[in-house]
Amino acid sequence: MTDILTLVFRTFSSQTGQNKDPGVCPPAAAAAPRCSSLVVGQHRLSRSLLLLAAVTAASELGIRVTFFAQSQIQSLPVCLQRCSTTLSPDGLKKITFSYPRTLEELLQRVASLHEAPLPPSLIIIDRLDGFLRDPGAGSHAGFHSGELSRAAHLAALLCDTAAFLTEVLQQRGPSSDPCRVIASFLSDVDGGQESKDSSATDPVLDVLDRYFQARCTLDQDESYEAAAAAAQEMWHIYLSGRKVSEEGAALAEEWKLLCFPDGLMKFKSV
């Protein structure tokens, strides 16, 4: 999965979002064994990142994408709207948007993905925390034991579904890429509190990390570098992941994201 995020970062590394890095090419499946990743950070930014991943995967890699969200997508990021080559009609047709309202609906729809005539090669879930949080709890009540079990159940289903769809896809074409999963999550620890304990941990995030092989962490930079670059915001993006084999290495990669007042986004490798 991190191969798709890296492709997104390289594709939109130009400020206009219109001129692609000529060195960017679709990644090979053999070079991308990590097939599940969790995007952790602010909802607004994580949703934009998920949309960039969906459109890039469909247009650049030609794969089918299923995008789950509780609220309807009203618009695409500006950098996508201005990138006519990426927003090809054929590419957008490969994306299916689905809007389950509850965790139960999400579980049912994920479990039925194998019934689709053309199953997806990429499953995206926007705001896992919205599905997992107990609707009867207050907005500041946090997660409890019920959420922990729900998190484990959903994460296990996503991994099992991706593994099964990978087998289905490879039966249809041995060279097919594996089915990947990308999900976003806003930790209770990073939920916008003015005073955050840097040593605090989120038990639900700990559970999710057991299932997702890689994490993409969004961390806002409060320095003056954004203003110096005429940007509205600057974010650090950390890609990290555990070893997936004895021969493999742990994932460690860093990017910077500059968000400009006109809505454009520029990624820079660190």
Side-chain angles (χ1 to χ4, degrees), residues 66-255:
T66 297
F67 193 113
F68 293 106
Q70 280 186 305
S71 59
Q72 191 166 0
I73 306 297
Q74 299 295 332
S75 63
L76 294 175
V78 173
C79 54
L80 276 176
Q81 297 177 26
R82 297 189 182 183
C83 189
S84 58
T85 56
T86 300
L87 278 176
S88 63
D90 290 340
L92 291 177
K93 289 178 182 178
K94 294 181 181 294
I95 305 175
T96 299
F97 290 96
S98 179
Y99 300 106
R101 298 291 298 275
T102 65
L103 176 62
E104 289 69 25
E105 289 182 17
L106 175 62
L107 292 171
Q108 292 173 1
R109 297 190 191 189
V110 171
S112 63
L113 284 176
H114 69 281
E115 300 173 356
L118 296 172
S121 296
L122 175 60
I123 304 169
I124 296 178
I125 308 92
D126 181 36
R127 294 192 60 174
L128 282 181
D129 50 290
F131 288 105
L132 296 174
R133 189 181 295 278
D134 184 356
S139 59
H140 299 288
F143 291 96
H144 303 286
S145 59
E147 281 81 0
L148 298 181
S149 61
R150 288 195 287 269
H153 183 191
L154 176 55
L157 177 63
L158 289 170
C159 293
D160 290 345
T161 300
F164 181 80
L165 292 182
T166 294
E167 294 182 2
V168 172
L169 293 168
Q170 291 180 344
Q171 287 174 359
R172 299 184 179 187
S175 61
S176 298
D177 285 349
C179 179
R180 302 163 170 92
V181 177
I182 309 176
S184 66
F185 178 82
L186 179 62
S187 169
D188 234 24
V189 175
D190 300 320
Q193 299 91 330
E194 292 184 3
S195 58
K196 295 185 291 185
D197 182 357
S198 60
S199 64
T201 60
D202 187 325
V204 174
L205 185 57
D206 291 340
V207 170
L208 295 174
D209 277 336
R210 299 173 194 168
Y211 293 89
F212 286 86
Q213 297 170 317
R215 187 199 288 191
C216 176
T217 304
L218 311 175
D219 185 19
Q220 188 167 12
D221 189 323
E222 303 289 351
S223 70
Y224 293 102
E225 187 174 345
Q232 187 175 27
E233 297 176 346
M234 187 174 78
W235 294 78
H236 289 275
I237 301 178
Y238 302 99
L239 291 175
S240 59
R242 61 181 183 269
K243 294 173 61 175
V244 294
S245 67
E246 291 298 326
E247 296 78 14
L251 174 68
E253 190 174 325
E254 182 180 353
W255 290 75

Side-chain angles (χ1 to χ4, degrees), residues 39-61:
V39 178
V40 179
Q42 185 203 62
H43 287 144
R44 172 179 55 82
L45 186 60
S46 63
R47 169 170 278 198
S48 294
L49 190 55
L50 295 185
L51 288 169
L52 291 177
V55 175
T56 301
S59 299
E60 299 295 324
L61 303 181

